[in-house]
Amino acid sequence: MNKKLGQMIGKWWFKYRSYSPLPLLILAVFYPYYNVADFRIYMSTGLFLILAGEAGRLWCVGYAGGITRTRTGDLDRLVTSGPFSYVRNPIYISNIIMYTGVTLLLGVPALIPFALLYFFIQYN
């Protein structure tokens, strides 16, 4: 792929990144298999992961501030304290944990590998 085209796609994807998990959510809602017997386990584990992911995001925003909400990608400083001292972008990890929880909460654990692959592609 041409470098300029790759940069254009990357900028577009970054701008609309808040909406990028929607196809995964739609797939989970319309997934043809739903295991009612394991619903309590999926629901409780999913809810725990969603809350853990959101707590991680709040921890990250507490250190990075409004810099995490920019849509332009123009950042003025590199955050290296708090969760950012352990991982370059802990918000990505928090998002992955949160959306893994969503797939469980919806009762579709078979979509977890697709969610991981989806976010690997998105964050790469």
Side-chain angles (χ1 to χ4, degrees):
M1 180 184 332
N2 164 332
K3 185 177 180 179
K4 189 168 183 154
L5 177 61
Q7 288 175 337
M8 286 174 41
I9 291 170
K11 283 183 181 182
W12 180 87
W13 193 271
F14 184 79
K15 184 177 180 182
Y16 296 104
R17 70 188 184 273
S18 297
Y19 305 106
S20 63
L22 289 178
L24 183 65
L25 180 63
I26 291 167
L27 186 60
V29 169
F30 294 107
Y31 195 76
Y33 175 75
Y34 187 82
N35 189 347
V36 177
D38 295 331
F39 180 70
R40 260 190 211 176
I41 294 168
Y42 293 157
M43 189 172 139
S44 58
T45 305
L47 189 57
F48 173 78
L49 289 174
I50 290 168
L51 293 174
E54 189 58 34
R57 287 178 52 82
L58 291 172
W59 185 33
C60 295
V61 170
Y63 279 88
I67 208 168
T68 62
R69 290 181 289 282
T70 180
R71 293 256 183 247
T72 63
D74 298 330
L75 307 175
D76 58 349
R77 65 183 174 90
L78 181 64
V79 180
T80 58
S81 58
F84 295 90
S85 66
Y86 301 107
V87 179
R88 179 60 260 139
N89 202 328
I91 294 175
Y92 290 2
I93 294 171
S94 296
N95 286 342
I96 291 168
I97 291 169
M98 196 166 43
Y99 282 97
T100 299
V102 168
T103 61
L104 288 175
L105 186 69
L106 291 171
V108 192
L111 288 179
I112 292 173
F114 295 108
L116 297 176
L117 177 64
Y118 187 79
F119 281 108
F120 175 78
I121 292 169
Q122 175 175 335
Y123 294 143
N124 197 9

